[in-house]
Amino acid sequence: PAASRSAAAVARLQEMGAIVMGKTNMDCAATGLVGVRSAYGVCENALDRTLISGGSSSGSGVAVATGQVSFALGTDTAGSGRVPAALNNIVGLKASRGMISTDGLLPACRSLDCISVFAMTTRECQVVAGAAAGVGGGRGPDAWDRPNRELQLGPRLPDGPKAAFTFAVPSRRFLDFGSFGEAAAPRAESYRLAWDRSVEALKSVGGTCVEIDYAPFQEAAELLYQGPWVAERLAALRELLGADADAVHPVVRQIVEQGDKYSALQCFEASYRMRELKVAADAAMAAVGAHVLVTPTVGATYAIKDVLADPVALNTNLGRYTNHMNLLDLCGISVPTALAAEALPFGVTISAPAGHDAFICDVADRVHLASGLSAGATASAASAVAGAFQATGAFTGALPAGVETFEVAVCGAHMAGLALCWQLTERGGRFVRRARTAPRYRLVALDGMKPPRPGLIDAESGACIDLEIWE
């Protein structure tokens, strides 16, 4: 049946002035990462029409990459908002699960589904996601929505071109670009080199690279389609399959009908295992002191004809670095970092625990603007697009919608780049501006403090002291 109202996220964006241009093509039932599983035809890549566009939100990615719209919404259960972004040279943000209401979104897996945002730059994604999430910090109308205040605000990168952060990457055994099948073999070496360049690019903007035990992330990714979460996809489509099975794409039908083979016992066992993997993944990140995890968004791409000939296996390959994200309650952003070859974009996904959306956007924005890449399939530089957007006044380093903030004045060791500044950044603090006190203060040395720091005292014979204002 035709929808009688817009989804909550769409309605919120319209209230903020967004103009809806139309609906886009996508893989049937949001089940696919390839963009070829649609009754409305195959969606071709924006840079090379012989290659897949990625999915499931294929049309959204291509519409942005070709400059038809400023931004687009998509889904993201297993990578649908990140894979098309990587393959079409744009940014795809999958915010923390439940931050943007899924009310009105046709479900794939209700417990995992997210609404994603596609745009040319990170800054645009941030503003759109904040508007779609709404204000006030309350819970949305869907049972799976989470109050924004429930999502812990993670740290922010301090201002400056090389603010330090630590990013974890999988060890080389998890980065075998030659393991994606014969159809990807001609591009495997180009992808490997693009990954290496991407790691160096992250280092060049202040990142320290550490290797991580990626095994729990990989096992979680494999469970999405090789475990009972397939039954949740069947639950979403059971009524339609019973009424008109032919309305569902045959490859999608083949996948979701496997959901019937799982028992309630297996569902509980898988749930317990996923909780164990979550603990292991968090411990792996903590063990190396990483702020974010960085992986390729995809380790390969394919010609449309190859995916049509081998629709399940090649699609599965594309989820190797994306399927775990919502199962482990992470937020993630896919951002272009290099060209693997002419008309062959390469992107990485930067992820962190739910609530750290602002931090992953800070890192993504920095590495993307330093890349020198064009935006999507256009001739415009991504940095120029971001600069023009910022000049409109719409971007101010926006925090997630609904997060209440206040300004604080700091001096001495808490100022940017000094010994105690970390106490601000780890609480989500963001530098706003420089300031000075009234001419009636002095700094005094505090005895026995480690690290050494001054104290600010009121003094009639004082002077103007340099301060910083942080949000």
Side-chain angles (χ1 to χ4, degrees), residues 5-214:
R5 62 181 179 88
S6 294
V10 175
R12 282 173 175 163
L13 289 169
Q14 288 180 294
E15 289 171 3
M16 298 291 288
I19 300 171
V20 177
M21 302 300 292
K23 294 186 177 182
T24 55
N25 200 357
M26 69 181 300
D27 283 322
C28 176
T31 302
L33 296 173
V34 285
V36 306
R37 299 173 176 176
S38 171
Y40 301 99
V42 171
C43 198
E44 299 165 340
N45 189 282
L47 286 86
D48 183 342
R49 298 182 67 178
T50 68
L51 298 178
I52 58 171
S53 61
S56 64
S57 303
S58 50
S60 295
V62 171
V64 170
T66 53
Q68 297 179 59
V69 292
S70 301
F71 69 89
L73 300 183
T75 64
D76 198 314
T77 305
S80 297
R82 289 162 280 146
V83 173
L87 296 183
N88 292 281
N89 198 36
I90 59 172
V91 179
L93 172 62
K94 187 210 77 67
S96 295
R97 179 166 47 83
M99 191 174 88
I100 300 176
S101 176
T102 51
D103 177 62
L105 172 70
L106 289 175
C109 292
R110 283 198 68 195
S111 66
L112 302 177
D113 291 338
C114 292
I115 289 178
S116 57
V117 179
F118 296 94
M120 293 288 196
T121 67
T122 299
R123 299 176 183 190
E124 292 166 287
C125 280
Q126 274 187 279
V127 169
V128 173
V135 296
R139 181 187 296 276
D142 191 84
W144 291 98
D145 296 341
R146 294 154 76 177
N148 288 334
R149 59 178 173 269
E150 190 178 283
L151 299 172
Q152 179 185 359
L153 178 63
R156 300 292 303 266
L157 269 182
D159 285 347
K162 287 194 176 182
F165 62 96
T166 300
F167 65 100
V169 299
S171 61
R172 277 292 179 185
R173 74 185 181 94
F174 295 102
L175 292 167
D176 183 1
F177 293 98
S179 64
F180 289 87
E182 291 184 8
R187 294 173 287 274
E189 181 63 9
S190 296
Y191 263 63
R192 184 188 69 78
L193 293 173
W195 165 252
D196 289 344
R197 293 199 303 274
S198 299
V199 171
E200 292 304 313
L202 285 157
K203 292 179 182 178
S204 74
V205 295
T208 297
C209 182
V210 294
E211 286 194 353
I212 195 174
D213 176 11
Y214 193 70

Side-chain angles (χ1 to χ4, degrees), residues 254-349:
Q254 172 191 341
I255 293 167
V256 299
E257 285 179 343
Q258 297 177 43
D260 263 336
K261 72 180 184 182
Y262 293 101
S263 67
L265 174 63
Q266 289 172 305
C267 287
F268 278 107
E269 289 175 339
S271 178
Y272 301 155
R273 181 56 183 157
M274 192 58 66
R275 181 60 64 92
E276 293 169 353
L277 291 172
K278 168 66 173 168
V279 171
D282 290 346
M285 291 288 286
V288 295
H291 296 102
V292 296
L293 173 65
V294 179
T295 67
T297 301
V298 292
T301 190
Y302 300 103
I304 292 170
K305 63 181 179 61
D306 291 327
V307 173
L308 293 174
D310 190 3
V312 176
L314 300 191
N315 184 93
T316 299
N317 288 343
L318 293 175
R320 184 179 300 182
Y321 301 116
T322 63
N323 286 355
H324 65 278
M325 193 77 64
N326 287 325
L327 289 164
L328 297 180
D329 199 18
L330 306 176
C331 56
I333 184 168
S334 177
V335 60
T337 48
L339 280 178
E342 185 178 357
L344 187 64
F346 182 87
V348 301
T349 290

